[in-house]
Amino acid sequence: MPETFRALLVTRDEDKKQSVAVAEMTEADLMEGDVTVAVEATTVNYKDGLAITGMAPVVRRFPLVPGIDFAGTVVKSSHTDWREGDQVILNGWGAGETHHGAYAGLARVKGDWLVKLPPQITPFEAMAIGTAGYTAMLCVMALERHGIAPERGPVIVTGAAGGVGSIAIAILSRLGFHVVASTGRTSEEDYLRDLGAAEVIARDELSGPARPLGRERWAGGVDAVGSHTLANVLSMTSYGGAVAACGLAGGMDLPASVAPFILRGVSLLGIDSVMAPLSLRREAWGRLARDLDRAKLASLSTTIGFGGIVDAAHAIVEGRIRGRVVVDMAK
């Protein structure tokens, strides 16, 4: 275990102005936990972008190491489930919000927060998936539990060129669904079709005020946008359909009518990735190892080094990131 390691640290001054800088830390600087992990790979999620730029109050204690997920190897453990050498994944549980997160050489966390890295995937593939892909799989599983199957009809994915959207498309298409991809970046149509989208529509079709009920266009959907987009998706969902909502890139509001729920029996399925129980997490990661095409995963991800995290954080909140960004912590 190194005596010191580099970390990205978010601080705030007396005037509550936030800043980010690289710092040298020691094991003594880590927070409470019964497992210490050498972080090998992490990623930059939209939430991480908000945390680093300060565009939303994601970080709730200072100073703090941001980064909501990582993959790495256990170097010290007093937890009964984990021992030195185990490869693990962490998503959520307050990491990067109230507990030191991924953007450091070491992380000390609670063993109950960890999931075993599936043997079929590498730490770098796990972070190409990351919280975005894990959330996408939670959405797919929720739709399946509601009975949404390919024979029911098309499914829509909003925010399609983002992390959640890209992986949702790859999973759903591999499962046999006719996927409609909604994006504000129509220049990415070839990319989305390569992932498996059968149709690509412009975000503008769904960004205006929603009618109480629209033409039935899809049996279900994965929405990472919220606001008017989610309201429109709901209004166009067919009888007995369901929409899994997991994001708020377009806003936290939902200017919708009750009409889809009481006249078409549509269900809105809320997806929380941060505090999801371990049983659901293990199922999701097992499904990702089985149902996500590794070649498509490679095509939708790029790799950067530790020094590129801040720039990537700004790029993702500005809508300039396509797919997934993996951070190789050794670079």
Side-chain angles (χ1 to χ4, degrees):
M1 192 180 304
E3 291 186 8
T4 64
F5 52 89
R6 63 185 176 178
L8 200 64
L9 204 61
V10 177
T11 58
R12 193 165 68 176
D13 62 22
E14 293 179 357
D15 296 324
K16 297 187 177 181
K17 182 180 179 181
Q18 183 175 303
S19 60
V20 183
V22 176
E24 286 293 316
M25 294 179 64
T26 69
E27 186 185 1
D29 296 318
L30 297 175
M31 292 182 179
E32 68 281 354
D34 47 17
V35 180
T36 303
V37 179
V39 180
E40 297 172 37
T42 179
T43 181
V44 180
N45 298 285
Y46 187 76
K47 193 172 187 177
D48 298 316
L50 295 175
I52 288 173
T53 61
M55 292 181 65
V58 173
V59 176
R60 298 197 295 275
R61 64 182 291 179
F62 298 89
L64 194 84
V65 176
I68 64 172
D69 52 10
F70 63 72
T73 302
V74 174
V75 294
K76 184 184 293 186
S77 174
S78 60
H79 191 283
T80 55
D81 289 348
W82 306 108
R83 61 184 179 182
E84 185 177 339
D86 286 342
Q87 290 193 299
V88 294
I89 302 168
L90 179 135
N91 301 97
W93 296 115
E97 300 179 68
T98 58
H99 192 94
H100 281 330
Y103 300 153
L106 293 177
R108 184 191 292 138
V109 298
K110 294 182 179 180
D112 290 342
W113 296 351
L114 299 170
V115 174
K116 184 178 181 180
L117 178 73
Q120 304 96 316
I121 60 178
T122 69
F124 295 94
E125 288 174 327
M127 288 299 102
I129 296 167
T131 293
Y134 149 69
T135 303
M137 181 53 82
L138 291 178
C139 291
V140 172
M141 289 160 52
L143 292 174
E144 290 175 336
R145 287 195 300 272
H146 195 77
I148 305 302
E151 58 268 22
R152 291 280 301 273
V155 291
I156 185 165
V157 175
T158 67
V164 172
S166 294
I167 295 183
I169 291 168
I171 295 168
L172 289 164
S173 64
R174 186 168 187 178
L175 293 174
F177 284 91
H178 179 104
V179 181
V180 180
S182 167
T183 180
R185 292 177 271 172
T186 51
S187 59
E188 301 287 11
E189 179 169 353
D190 289 344
Y191 162 77
L192 296 171
R193 289 189 181 276
D194 286 344
L195 289 178
E199 300 177 50
V200 178
I201 65 173
R203 178 176 59 197
D204 292 348
E205 289 192 35
L206 304 174
S207 61
R211 297 167 58 188
L213 284 178
R215 176 172 60 90
E216 296 177 71
R217 297 177 66 178
W218 33 73
V222 173
D223 176 69
V225 179
S227 193
H228 290 288
T229 296
L230 177 54
N232 276 290
V233 167
L234 289 166
S235 77
M236 299 177 193
T237 299
S238 60
Y239 192 92
V243 178
C246 64
L248 45 69
M252 291 187 68
D253 60 326
L254 181 56
S257 162
V258 298
F261 309 117
I262 65 173
L263 297 180
R264 287 187 181 157
V266 170
S267 294
L268 178 58
L269 311 175
I271 305 300
D272 166 56
S273 63
V274 176
M275 304 301 290
L278 277 173
S279 59
L280 204 58
R281 292 168 183 266
R282 291 178 182 131
E283 181 183 356
W285 280 103
R287 288 285 305 275
L288 285 160
R290 187 184 78 205
D291 294 335
L292 180 58
D293 186 319
R294 219 71 88 248
K296 287 184 179 179
L297 180 63
S299 73
L300 62 83
S301 60
T302 57
T303 301
I304 62 173
F306 177 86
I309 292 173
V310 173
D311 286 344
H314 284 272
I316 199 167
V317 298
E318 292 167 8
R320 294 187 286 111
I321 294 288
R322 181 179 79 176
R324 303 285 297 130
V325 175
V326 179
V327 182
D328 182 345
M329 290 295 285
K331 290 185 176 180

